[in-house]
Amino acid sequence: MKPWQTVLFLALAALSVLAHEHHDELTEEEANAPVDAVLWIHMFLQAGVWGVLFPVGMVLGMTRSRWHVPLQSTGFALTFAGIFLGHAHKGRQFPHSVHGTFANIMVLPILGQLVLGIYLKLHIHEETLRPYAVKAHGVLGKAYPVLGWTQMLFGALTFRGYCRGGHLGQCLAHYIMGSGFIAYGTIMAILLLVGEAWVRRSGRSPEWWDSWVIMLWGIVNTFTEHHGPMNVWSVKDMQHTIMGVLWWTGGALGIFLARNNNRTVVPSIIIMLTGWAMSNHAQALMISTEVHSMFGYTLMLAGLARIIEICFVPPTRPSSDGRGQVVEPDDSSDHTLAEASPQANLFPSGSQGVKRMDATRAFRHLPPFLLVASGLLFMSATDEELDFVHDNGMDHVTYILIMFSIAFVMYTLIVSLIHLYSTSGRNASNASSSPSLGDDNIEMSGDIDGNKWYAPVPSGAHVIGDDD
């Protein structure tokens, strides 16, 4: 049996077990039964596949690596095995949940991606249907990290029995916004490390995109954060609503200032104000107050680091102009807000220049990492989670350090995937060659020392000739 036939057989077998229904009413014995080994294997297996294996396979697919198909085929097989284990476990049982519902929904993109992958391997309809199948396959593949993240969250909430009844609203607020900060940090890391060329070609500065998201999200929050009668407002209702107003007013200003590819610090100021507000958010438990405060401080530091990066951090090193010639970096106003004299030498020769480039490269990781950490802290600050931590005698210091440890692991995965993209498949030869442009519009460029972490594209710079 061929590999694709094996995967298809497993898919059909997995569909057959989806008819297993969770109980709407559980006995106390079923709800409190120990978790058996099968369920633990299901959780770790699916977390490994959707958290690591599929994202790696997605990156290898974007770079047209020959390892893409074997890796994704393995991922499909393990996914269907995990689905089977999730319905075959004994011991503790769970009521009907969004995790089970979303698992059924996820079968559609999984099978769709599988069918498209098999179709593309046949290399038929090259001039008619295949180009559309390639695009659909790419869109579905890039959605996998989002689908996997969502389903893993649903699984954790189902396992703990959280977010039911009156807790749903708070869960939605914390998990959606926390995930948003993590996504923000991930996108920022991509843009800062490998995607600045794409930003320049788009004709829009990063803050233009940031401001639009902030403004639209603020409009939604302005009209959804008040609960109860219109003439009765709690302190939290007022705080959440005015933060929505802050976001859409500040976002509108940011859009205006960021027009014509200009840089602006308005989104960073909004992030700092949001962090300050959350650090002073009234909470019932001391541990909840401390976790919210740390979230606020981390968010304020992320905003401050972003302001420094925009205003004062120049490009890290020269890059190519696409014709094999080196272009000298500058700090003209459309790259940073810092102005330098024409005679200023940002990257002097010798050890001093190397140290400055290394410091610049290192600093660019600070804003996205802090955004990822703040997102995790906010997701971990729901009443149910902190009640559980409090009841088990854990102090806020230990809990916060656990969240930062998870943030380190997550950011390691993020930058590893970015690095894999720049060094695998069709980008593997870029470490010592001129830039190449991929189909995903992210420009990859080798550094002068062979390290491909960040390759800025200068604007308004001159090309260095033989007599420079």
Side-chain angles (χ1 to χ4, degrees):
M1 182 178 290
K2 296 181 179 179
W4 68 266
Q5 292 174 324
T6 302
V7 174
L8 186 59
F9 172 78
L10 290 172
L12 295 175
L15 286 174
S16 67
V17 302
L18 291 178
H20 171 82
E21 296 182 356
H22 292 280
H23 303 288
D24 291 328
E25 297 292 337
L26 296 178
T27 65
E28 184 176 351
E29 182 179 0
E30 290 175 325
N32 297 321
V35 177
D36 69 345
V38 174
L39 185 56
W40 283 116
I41 294 174
H42 161 78
M43 290 187 289
F44 283 105
L45 179 64
Q46 297 293 63
V49 170
W50 287 90
V52 179
L53 194 62
F54 274 146
V56 170
M58 175 196 70
V59 171
L60 294 179
M62 293 166 65
T63 62
R64 305 294 191 268
S65 169
R66 62 189 178 90
W67 294 103
H68 168 67
V69 173
L71 198 64
Q72 295 300 77
S73 299
T74 302
F76 283 130
L78 293 176
T79 293
F80 295 129
I83 293 175
F84 176 81
L85 293 175
H87 290 81
H89 71 89
K90 304 298 182 182
R92 184 180 302 179
Q93 300 298 313
F94 303 91
H96 179 75
S97 66
V98 66
H99 179 66
T101 301
F102 198 67
N104 296 339
I105 295 173
M106 283 182 65
V107 171
L108 296 177
I110 292 173
L111 292 181
Q113 188 74 338
L114 179 61
V115 170
L116 285 170
I118 294 172
Y119 172 79
L120 293 175
K121 291 295 291 183
L122 297 176
H123 291 279
I124 57 177
H125 309 126
E126 296 283 351
E127 302 297 330
T128 55
L129 297 180
R130 182 179 172 83
Y132 297 100
V134 170
K135 292 183 181 297
H137 188 70
V139 170
L140 275 178
K142 292 179 179 66
Y144 266 42
V146 178
L147 295 173
W149 174 261
T150 303
Q151 181 65 337
M152 285 189 286
L153 283 181
F154 288 159
L157 298 179
T158 299
F159 183 75
R160 292 296 310 156
Y162 291 157
C163 303
R164 295 182 178 274
H167 296 286
L168 179 59
Q170 188 192 49
C171 280
L172 290 175
H174 278 256
Y175 287 112
I176 292 175
M177 182 172 288
S179 298
F181 283 128
I182 293 172
Y184 188 8
T186 302
I187 294 171
M188 185 181 294
I190 293 172
L191 295 180
L192 292 178
L193 299 179
V194 295
E196 188 172 335
W198 178 88
V199 173
R200 292 194 180 283
R201 289 194 305 272
S202 73
R204 306 289 186 182
S205 69
E207 293 75 43
W208 189 86
W209 301 101
D210 294 355
S211 298
W212 267 107
V213 174
I214 289 171
M215 186 184 74
L216 294 176
W217 188 256
I219 292 173
V220 172
N221 272 28
T222 299
F223 298 101
T224 59
E225 291 300 319
H226 174 244
H227 306 283
M230 287 300 298
N231 60 339
V232 178
W233 287 71
S234 68
V235 173
K236 287 189 176 182
D237 283 347
M238 288 187 285
Q239 287 183 349
H240 290 160
T241 300
I242 197 60
M243 275 197 287
V245 174
L246 171 77
W247 292 339
W248 71 255
T249 54
L253 175 61
I255 292 171
F256 180 79
L257 295 179
R259 72 193 189 284
N260 300 326
N261 200 24
N262 291 321
R263 307 299 301 272
T264 175
V265 298
V266 170
S268 301
I269 293 174
I270 295 173
I271 290 174
M272 293 179 67
L273 289 173
T274 302
W276 170 78
M278 296 307 300
S279 68
N280 290 277
H281 212 38
Q283 303 295 325
L285 293 175
M286 186 276 290
I287 187 172
S288 182
T289 300
E290 295 292 343
V291 173
H292 276 80
S293 296
M294 192 61 187
F295 159 67
Y297 299 149
T298 305
L299 201 57
M300 284 190 285
L301 186 57
L304 177 61
R306 182 63 169 158
I307 289 176
I308 295 173
E309 190 273 326
I310 291 171
C311 296
F312 306 112
V313 177
T316 55
R317 60 184 61 80
S319 62
S320 170
D321 67 345
R323 297 175 295 177
Q325 293 180 295
V326 176
V327 179
E328 184 180 357
D330 74 319
D331 66 345
S332 58
S333 59
D334 64 346
H335 184 83
T336 68
L337 298 181
E339 293 288 350
S341 65
Q343 294 78 23
N345 188 356
L346 293 176
F347 295 95
S349 59
S351 61
Q352 183 179 355
V354 173
K355 289 180 179 178
R356 183 173 298 186
M357 287 190 292
D358 289 341
T360 299
R361 185 191 305 125
F363 186 84
R364 286 182 181 272
H365 287 284
L366 185 57
F369 169 73
L370 291 172
L371 285 170
V372 170
S374 63
L376 283 171
L377 282 170
F378 194 57
M379 293 175 67
S380 69
T382 64
D383 289 343
E384 290 176 296
E385 290 174 284
L386 294 177
D387 284 342
F388 175 78
V389 172
H390 177 74
D391 292 342
N392 282 271
M394 183 183 295
D395 68 313
H396 67 277
V397 175
T398 303
Y399 187 64
I400 290 171
L401 291 179
I402 290 173
M403 293 303 112
F404 268 94
S405 299
I406 297 174
F408 282 128
V409 172
M410 183 171 294
Y411 194 70
T412 300
L413 177 61
I414 291 169
V415 294
S416 297
L417 290 174
I418 296 172
H419 184 64
L420 178 65
Y421 177 82
S422 68
T423 57
S424 65
R426 62 188 175 188
N427 294 325
S429 61
N430 287 345
S432 58
S433 64
S434 61
S436 63
L437 179 60
D439 291 342
D440 59 348
N441 292 328
I442 294 181
E443 181 123 349
M444 303 304 305
S445 175
D447 300 334
I448 56 176
D449 58 358
N451 185 349
K452 297 173 42 167
W453 277 104
Y454 174 68
V457 173
S459 176
H462 69 278
V463 178
I464 300 177
D466 296 335
D467 56 349
D468 280 75

